[in-house]
Amino acid sequence: MEKKKISLAVDIGKLHLKNPVMGASGTFGFGREYEDFLDVNEIGAIVTKGITPLPRAGNPGVRIAETPSGMLNSIGLENPGLDVFIKEILPEIKHYDTPVIVNISAGTVEDYAKMAYALDIDGVDALEVNISCPNVKEGGIVFGTDPKSAAAVTKAVKGHTKKTVIVKLSPNVTDIAVMAKAVENAGADAVSLINTLTGMAIDINKRTVLLGNVTGGLSGPAVKPVALRMVWQVAQAVKIPIIGMGGIANGEDAVEFLLAGASAVAVGAYNFIDPAAVKHAADGIEAYMESNGICNLLEIIGKVKVQG
Amino acid sequence: MKKFVLTGQVVNNKQISNGIYHMAVHAPQIAEAAQPGQFLHVKKPDGANFLRRPLGVADVDKSQGTVGIMYRILGKGTTEFSRMAAGDELSIVGPIGNGFVLKDGQPLIVGGGMGMAPLIYLADMLKDKKPIVLIGGRNKDEIFWQEYMKKFTDRIYVTTDDGSAGVKGFTTTLLPQLLQKNVVDDIYTCGPDIMMRGIAKIAYEYGKTCQVSLEKRMACGIGVCLGCTFPGKQSGRRRKVCTEGPVFPAEEVF
């Protein structure tokens, strides 16, 4: 009997992905850093480190703390700024045979719009609008916790680009589905979730906080159940595609997110442990499909059974 | 330079001083590639820690295909490392970063605390030049590093904070005397920031080149998390300890 051909391809707005696994913003650099460990052309997409209108030095140290089943970071959006990204970095990464999604953060609606306009150029395949960085005011979190503001940013970005617009939502809200609805109504092509959960850690011997910025963003396996729940809730509330992330370490984790309603997923903190994790997660999804006789991702996406 | 992700087999893992261990791991690709001053990002597969730990390469035996790391028990992860035995597996990403630039002149190696570990491999690489070695510790129990350095030089000086061995004081107390007494061209140092800052200042006053090896918290080790960056003094740009360091010219740091 002929073996059925498995397709991992999926579309997010105008984006066509070979497979549904991306490297999450802030954990995948600009893709180049992973060339020793995997073929970047084979991954679903690169989501760049968050770019801001001007260069940012980030927060004072200590910026990283280990936590049970995860980590806290308070990097504070250190990045070279929009101009350097366009002039120096984009030319080096646009040749990849995989979509480049540029993550953008700003402090005002106008700045989001300006960045969207400036990035409406060859080599950029989509924008991920970060309204959820918990570590700096200018990271958009003020927009990420108020539905009206989130809608205003989304509308402004949509009005200044022809690219696919993905809005990255914060878990640090009372009801993430309300936020997702608000950006869907404002024209977002997709949503991605979750960004990190705000957390804190203390050294009891020194009686000091561990992070220079006091609080930081929690990521890693510790946040997976929260992220999965939020993806499922948002999937009930919106029709646009969801990119799910939060504690994904392998193909099995990724399949959970797809079943919960995500059309694609991103690996975040686990890239730090296994630099080929994005590839391994995609291979794991394929192995799951093969062993379950599934040919197309659409047979999995949102197909979790809820009893009762 | 190519980095590897691989699983190495522990050859031996033994306590070398109070709470300080040496682990030798069979990982021929890493042993072949590692330069003094570079580090490995290691993790016990399925271990208690989520993140890897950056540990300097302490020694290399290319003929056996082994690489050595040293660590002090500080928490859950290092306690777990200390219980590993021959045959156990260690996940390694490495070798990482830029190590020491080996200069032509007479070397002086200055180390404090666990900062001595990568300097052992450095001394090995510089042994033909008979490096002068200056070791600082709080007390006599912390200067066992002499045993390792003896293999590569007989010119070893010691300082202890309490005077229980060597000269009472810090490495910076003795350094000016050594520079006056000996011909020294290049200083290589690793240890607490405050010590390296002092060494760098004296090196500058005496017109010697000085390389410092930094230790910073990091998550990835490959230049993406930006947990370990600092503002470069001379370059004026943010520098990554993991991929641009951990060794820098002192003037870029202090």
Side-chain angles (χ1 to χ4, degrees), chain A residues 101-115:
Chain A
I101 302 173
V102 182
N103 181 290
I104 57 170
S105 287
T108 65
V109 173
E110 292 71 31
D111 276 352
Y112 274 107
K114 277 185 204 160
M115 292 186 81

Side-chain angles (χ1 to χ4, degrees), chain B residues 97-111:
Chain B
N98 293 314
F100 290 102
V101 177
L102 305 187
K103 308 241 177 189
D104 290 335
Q106 171 60 47
L108 169 63
I109 297 173
V110 188

Side-chain angles (χ1 to χ4, degrees), chain A residues 26-29 33-34 36-37 49 57 62-64 66 70-71 75 78 221 269-270 272-273 275, chain B residues 1-3 5 43 49-53 93 217-220 222-227 229 238 240:
Chain A
T27 68
F28 212 69
E33 297 86 343
Y34 285 87
D36 277 339
F37 308 107
K49 169 77 187 153
V62 172
R63 292 174 164 193
I64 302 280
E66 170 129 354
M71 59 175 278
I75 307 301
E78 175 179 338
Y270 207 75
F272 302 156
I273 316 307
Chain B
M1 190 183 292
K2 172 91 179 149
K3 303 181 195 90
V5 187
K43 182 173 163 54
N49 282 355
F50 176 62
L51 295 175
R52 293 175 174 275
R53 291 290 184 267
V93 178
R217 292 275 179 95
M218 60 183 71
C220 72
I222 55 172
V224 297
C225 76
L226 308 186
T229 65
R238 306 274 317 166
K240 297 174 185 178

Side-chain angles (χ1 to χ4, degrees), chain B residues 34-48:
Chain B
Q35 302 295 315
Q38 288 190 301
F39 67 95
L40 310 181
H41 218 198
V42 302
K43 182 173 163 54
K44 181 176 185 289
D46 302 318

Side-chain angles (χ1 to χ4, degrees), chain A residues 41-83:
Chain A
N41 301 299
E42 286 183 6
I43 71 172
I46 296 163
V47 190
T48 68
K49 169 77 187 153
I51 303 296
T52 50
L54 296 173
R56 283 185 61 88
N59 289 332
V62 172
R63 292 174 164 193
I64 302 280
E66 170 129 354
T67 66
S69 287
M71 59 175 278
L72 285 167
N73 89 80
S74 65
I75 307 301
L77 282 175
E78 175 179 338
N79 80 92
L82 181 66
D83 288 349

